[in-house]
Amino acid sequence: MWPKLVAEAKDGGADCIESYVFWNGHEPAPGQYYFEERFDLVRFVRIVKDAGLYMMLRIGPFVAAEWNFGGVPVWLHYVPGTVFRTNNEPFKSHMKRFTTYIVDMMKKEQLFASQGGPIILAQIENEYGDIEQPYGADAKPYAMWAASMALAQNTGVPWIMCQQYDAPDPVINTCNSFYCDQFKPNSPTKPKLWTENWPGWFQTFGESNPHRPPEDIAFAVARFFGKGGSVQNYYVYHGGTNFGRTAGGPFITTSYDYDAPIDEYGLRRLPKWAHLRDLHKSIKLCEHTLLYGNSSFLSLGPQLEADVYTDNSGGCIAFLANVDTEKDKVVTFQNRSYDLPAWSVSILPDCKNVVFNTAKVQSQTLMMDMVPSRLQTSKLDGWSIFREKIGIWGKSDLVRNGFIDHINTTKDYTDYLWYTTSFHVDRSHLAGGNHAVHIDSKGHAVQAFLNNELIGSAYGNGSKSSFSVEMPIKLRAGKNELSLLSMTVGLQTAGPFYEWVGAGLTSVKISGMENGTVDLSSNNWAYKIGLEGEYYSLFKPDQGKNERWMPQTEPPKNQPLTWYKVNVDVPQGDDPVGLDMQSMGKGQAWLNGNAIGRYWPRTSSVSDRCTSSCNYRGSFSPNKCRTGCGQPTQRWYHVPRSWFHPSGNTLVIFEEKGGDHTKITFSRRTVSSVCSFVSEHYPLIDLESWDGSTPDDGRNAAKVKLSCPKVKISLLLSLRVLEIPAEPADPINKEAATIRTLYPLSRRPV
Ligand code: GAL
């Protein structure tokens, strides 16, 4: 997907691609490096170069990024004496070794700009300035060490440190935020760089979906360049998918769509992508004067500002801003009047004509659909299943009195850890007993079985991974076996001392017993790391013939801890493909041995901050403009087309809770409809050919363009002409406008 994604970014007006480097992807075991396939960093940088773009390489190697363990290998936590991101010798020596490895690799391939390559900036650490305090006296020496270690690499290009307020010369401190117009680098010799402008936000399983309106993103960018910004980067312009177990946590979704300008599937998100493209073009029309001119600031009234740049060759550009969060206004600038919607910036590359206003979205909106496409054309190729044994399979790995930490035990080789124990109940104690098991866990999830029967599941969530749960149980006389499958859903990604955050059970009690509640916490517990199916690599296609798989014409539904395998067809066409897992519980999926990732169509609460409309005005936060309350956070799971063979594709599912595998389908991501809104007050400028001569007299000549990728528009559903009163009572509410004419155009092809 990389060449196409980079080309789409270039078409969207990007000059430069910024990427993190994921240490735990590149060094899965100490000294064992991996740069193949999706981790082929050199190949990626070359693709960027071949597209004619620059590159910013954020080596970190701590990166956060909603990526497992913030990108640092889990094994490093178990190197004796290591504390991450502080003045700690083992950490520093490993960080230096990995940074040097990456820098040397780039140098060898001549990829730094100083060598004629595309890399113009490199980053060390990531937002350390924001969390120095808890690290006490060891914070500053570490931050300064990181800067000098980086400088000593001699790349010939500048180093940056984001959110590092005291980055020492010549390292440039940069800004990460929804808005960075007020940011000032720590020395006048340093340019004003914005490394992370978040055009949306990430998701956790069980939450509704955040959206950042394009009007607000454009507003923030225009303000930044108006106020002297030099480089602005979207984090993320495309976030893609956290395949396998790379999603961090706890509970970060497999999708890293982020409401970004290019969606998870690699398609343009409209109008966002195009609105920002138009913004980029407009700013580039100002490029010469922005670079060579001097700026001045003018107040045009309350909440009304002009940032004006003039150069020696007579160039004049202006950014006119209305920062009022409610009122649309009309301003006078250099004897002309301009209409400025609330919370908007107009860009004037000649101090006269408006070529762009951040609140006037000219681009069409594309509505996307996931259209079901059958998993198999013939039912002849049936399903095979493998059922996990409940509790310890094979021999236990450990036996302890009491609990051990989940992550310290699995070292994250797997999400799964069995905690099992048994206890005796006298027959005389059974009668009339209301028995229940009470489980406390640091997180992230548990599946509980008593005497091989599922008694329940429990989970934490994205804001609190720990949980307590009570499950009613039916005990039997004699020996009772309690088997608790503890699960992680992505490891912590950031925060002070984040690598010490644990998971797993902390207390297990049985209530309703003869003598009240019995605490099993310090019982003798036997542990087993991982699943039997993982041990046999059932997800690998060459294990397909594995005699452990049981072919079944009608495999049972709603069974916990079951592996399913089936031969599937390639969905027709070339639309991107998602796997629809709505009928399933929770687990993991693979196609032809490639890990699609964790799936979990966990629904958010109906009251999880959703609103029926989204007001772009005013400061954005991820609590604004949410959708999908009461719906699964993530129903579809991206399966890249390149993972399919022309025929003979093996889909493997591991289901933890129980679901209906017969309802799993592929879906194709396609455009379902397009729509657009335009007004006679919108600039009527062709940004491609604008040479300064077009007068701003677009009034009454509004123009709208609609197009569908790959298909012809066959039906125009409606055209509504709205007449907005000169002084709308409520400018935010477009419904206040009267509908003058409604042309029902259905069934009339155009
Ligand atoms: C930043 C961090 C990024 C990413 C982002 C949120 O603080 O640097 O790596 O985690 O937050 O998406």
Side-chain angles (χ1 to χ4, degrees):
M1 293 176 74
W2 290 345
K4 165 124 187 297
L5 290 168
V6 170
E8 291 289 87
K10 188 177 181 183
D11 280 356
D15 307 301
C16 184
I17 303 287
E18 182 182 85
S19 176
Y20 278 135
V21 175
F22 296 102
W23 186 0
N24 52 9
H26 294 303
E27 197 181 353
Q32 264 179 41
Y33 296 101
Y34 182 75
F35 289 88
E36 307 295 312
E37 302 281 322
R38 290 187 291 118
F39 290 91
D40 191 342
L41 183 61
V42 167
R43 183 169 176 198
F44 183 76
V45 181
R46 285 215 190 106
I47 286 170
V48 172
K49 182 184 181 199
D50 292 347
L53 300 182
Y54 294 114
M55 176 93 205
M56 288 160 71
L57 196 64
R58 307 178 79 193
I59 299 176
F62 166 80
V63 296
E66 288 69 73
W67 184 268
N68 200 45
F69 226 40
V72 183
V74 174
W75 56 256
L76 185 56
H77 179 52
Y78 298 100
V79 170
T82 305
V83 184
F84 290 6
R85 306 181 73 202
T86 187
N87 199 17
N88 170 276
E89 289 312 318
F91 184 75
K92 288 193 307 185
S93 84
H94 281 279
M95 172 167 164
K96 180 176 173 191
R97 182 182 50 77
F98 181 73
T99 305
T100 310
Y101 195 92
I102 296 295
V103 167
D104 286 351
M105 179 180 254
M106 297 299 119
K107 278 187 186 166
K108 190 165 152 259
E109 304 289 336
Q110 313 274 314
L111 291 173
F112 285 105
S114 50
Q115 305 171 292
I119 304 173
I120 52 172
L121 290 169
Q123 178 181 308
I124 197 74
E125 252 295 340
N126 191 78
E127 297 190 332
Y128 191 65
D130 289 339
I131 55 151
E132 282 186 11
Q133 216 214 345
Y135 289 97
D138 278 340
K140 206 47 87 190
Y142 164 69
M144 296 304 127
W145 168 84
S148 52
M149 183 272 282
L151 291 170
Q153 301 280 341
N154 276 323
T155 60
V157 305
W159 284 91
I160 56 174
M161 289 178 96
C162 56
Q163 301 289 96
Q164 188 68 51
Y165 310 92
D166 54 0
D169 277 352
V171 177
I172 304 164
N173 64 312
T174 71
C175 179
N176 293 350
S177 182
F178 288 110
Y179 307 91
C180 283
D181 50 292
Q182 299 303 321
F183 168 74
K184 284 203 169 42
N186 63 16
S187 143
T189 61
K190 295 178 185 177
K192 177 167 167 176
L193 309 185
W194 188 358
T195 27
E196 291 187 26
N197 176 7
W198 306 309
W201 201 241
F202 58 87
Q203 301 180 301
T204 55
F205 285 117
E207 269 196 331
S208 60
N209 303 333
H211 302 278
R212 185 173 180 199
E215 295 93 328
D216 178 61
I217 309 169
F219 172 81
V221 175
R223 293 287 284 164
F224 179 73
F225 283 103
K227 306 239 173 258
S230 324
V231 164
Q232 181 270 147
N233 176 73
Y234 299 102
Y235 181 96
V236 286
Y237 195 76
H238 169 69
T241 311
N242 289 325
F243 296 112
R245 300 192 307 115
T246 59
F251 302 101
I252 306 281
T253 52
T254 299
S255 165
Y256 200 52
D257 178 88
Y258 216 94
D259 201 33
I262 300 179
D263 74 14
E264 176 181 9
Y265 293 84
L267 304 177
R268 296 175 181 183
R269 172 166 278 118
L270 294 179
K272 192 172 278 190
W273 180 91
H275 190 53
L276 298 176
R277 174 203 53 197
D278 294 348
L279 164 75
H280 305 148
K281 280 186 184 159
S282 306
I283 291 171
K284 283 179 184 174
L285 289 175
C286 305
E287 190 166 14
H288 185 270
T289 311
L290 265 182
L291 283 173
Y292 299 102
N294 289 320
S295 71
S296 55
F297 172 81
L298 288 176
S299 170
L300 303 177
Q303 316 263 55
L304 294 168
E305 300 180 2
D307 288 292
V308 184
Y309 291 69
T310 47
D311 63 32
N312 289 340
S313 47
C316 178
I317 63 155
F319 293 84
L320 306 185
N322 175 5
V323 297
D324 195 307
T325 57
E326 281 171 19
K327 294 196 192 85
D328 297 347
K329 292 185 180 163
V330 176
V331 296
T332 306
F333 171 68
Q334 298 192 352
N335 301 324
R336 288 171 178 242
S337 81
Y338 297 90
D339 112 79
L340 281 180
W343 201 254
S344 82
V345 179
S346 281
I347 299 176
L348 290 64
D350 57 359
C351 283
K352 287 193 197 105
N353 291 295
V354 175
V355 295
F356 184 85
N357 175 276
T358 56
K360 298 178 180 179
V361 178
Q362 309 242 24
S363 154
Q364 66 180 16
T365 297
L366 264 193
M367 322 284 259
M368 304 301 292
D369 235 352
M370 298 299 284
V371 179
S373 154
R374 274 197 309 197
L375 209 57
Q376 308 166 277
T377 40
S378 106
K379 290 259 172 246
L380 294 177
D381 268 343
W383 293 79
S384 302
I385 65 160
F386 173 83
R387 283 169 110 156
E388 284 285 328
K389 185 172 175 314
I390 308 296
I392 308 283
W393 52 272
K395 278 204 321 217
S396 60
D397 290 315
L398 291 159
V399 179
R400 287 279 184 288
N401 286 333
F403 297 121
I404 49 178
D405 181 82
H406 181 126
I407 301 167
N408 286 345
T409 312
T410 60
K411 309 256 188 320
D412 199 39
Y413 281 109
T414 165
D415 282 356
Y416 305 100
L417 178 65
W418 280 108
Y419 290 66
T420 67
T421 195
S422 58
F423 53 97
H424 185 88
V425 180
D426 284 343
R427 182 170 299 277
S428 59
H429 298 154
L430 286 178
N434 276 335
H435 299 109
V437 57
H438 302 254
I439 302 171
D440 292 333
S441 169
K442 282 181 274 178
H444 309 156
V446 75
Q447 290 278 102
F449 300 83
L450 180 71
N451 302 324
N452 290 332
E453 295 293 326
L454 181 64
I455 50 173
S457 330
Y459 315 96
N461 60 49
S463 34
K464 188 164 169 266
S465 64
S466 64
F467 58 89
S468 296
V469 62
E470 178 186 315
M471 298 167 183
I473 49 172
K474 274 209 164 60
L475 293 170
R476 66 183 178 202
K479 190 177 171 197
N480 285 268
E481 284 176 20
L482 189 60
S483 304
L484 304 174
L485 182 61
S486 175
M487 295 170 275
T488 46
V489 191
L491 303 193
Q492 201 78 26
T493 63
F497 302 105
Y498 75 92
E499 78 272 27
W500 300 92
V501 175
L505 306 182
T506 51
S507 161
V508 174
K509 294 174 184 161
I510 309 280
S511 64
M513 303 290 271
E514 178 200 23
N515 38 2
T517 297
V518 176
D519 192 344
L520 301 178
S521 307
S522 43
N523 254 35
N524 201 254
W525 288 85
Y527 293 87
K528 186 74 192 174
I529 299 167
L531 304 170
E532 194 174 14
E534 289 180 302
Y535 177 77
Y536 294 128
S537 301
L538 291 186
F539 43 85
K540 286 194 186 156
D542 55 357
Q543 300 298 309
K545 296 194 186 64
N546 196 315
E547 71 282 1
R548 291 179 179 86
W549 284 111
M550 300 287 293
Q552 305 229 327
T553 15
E554 293 220 3
K557 296 173 190 168
N558 295 316
Q559 296 299 308
L561 305 192
T562 305
W563 294 76
Y564 295 93
K565 179 170 74 83
V566 68
N567 257 320
V568 294
D569 296 331
V570 192
Q572 284 184 348
D574 59 2
D575 294 322
V577 178
L579 188 65
D580 184 348
M581 298 301 275
Q582 195 174 26
S583 68
M584 298 301 281
K586 175 179 181 296
Q588 294 179 40
W590 296 261
L591 182 84
N592 296 330
N594 297 293
I596 295 168
R598 298 187 186 99
Y599 68 84
W600 192 5
R602 185 185 195 183
T603 51
S604 64
S605 131
V606 282
S607 52
D608 187 20
R609 295 163 285 169
C610 294
T611 45
S612 56
S613 65
C614 164
N615 178 6
Y616 75 86
R617 298 163 184 83
S619 287
F620 178 77
S621 89
N623 286 326
K624 265 178 94 173
C625 299
R626 301 183 75 97
T627 60
C629 288
Q631 308 280 326
T633 313
Q634 189 179 354
R635 173 170 164 188
W636 288 277
Y637 295 82
H638 181 206
V639 188
R641 283 240 170 225
S642 60
W643 289 2
F644 284 94
H645 308 314
S647 66
N649 294 286
T650 311
L651 180 70
V652 173
I653 308 285
F654 172 64
E655 170 58 45
E656 297 161 8
K657 285 168 47 165
D660 184 352
H661 60 282
T662 62
K663 297 215 172 74
I664 298 175
T665 61
F666 285 125
S667 293
R668 290 179 297 110
R669 189 162 173 85
T670 58
V671 175
S672 58
S673 58
V674 296
C675 60
S676 195
F677 176 87
V678 75
S679 140
E680 65 273 37
H681 297 293
Y682 280 25
L684 239 196
I685 297 275
D686 182 355
L687 289 168
E688 294 298 343
S689 58
W690 190 76
D691 58 1
S693 59
T694 323
D696 182 25
D697 62 356
R699 276 152 211 271
N700 303 317
K703 202 170 165 184
V704 82
K705 267 194 207 165
L706 295 176
S707 72
C708 279
K710 294 195 286 189
V711 292
K712 279 197 176 147
I713 297 175
S714 55
L715 210 60
L716 190 59
L717 284 181
S718 76
L719 171 66
R720 292 202 290 171
V721 179
L722 309 181
E723 193 172 35
I724 301 180
E727 283 293 323
D730 173 6
I732 292 173
N733 183 1
K734 295 230 175 72
E735 300 307 317
T738 49
I739 298 176
R740 192 174 61 191
T741 329
L742 177 69
Y743 298 96
L745 293 179
S746 23
R747 299 189 199 296
R748 180 132 66 87
V750 289

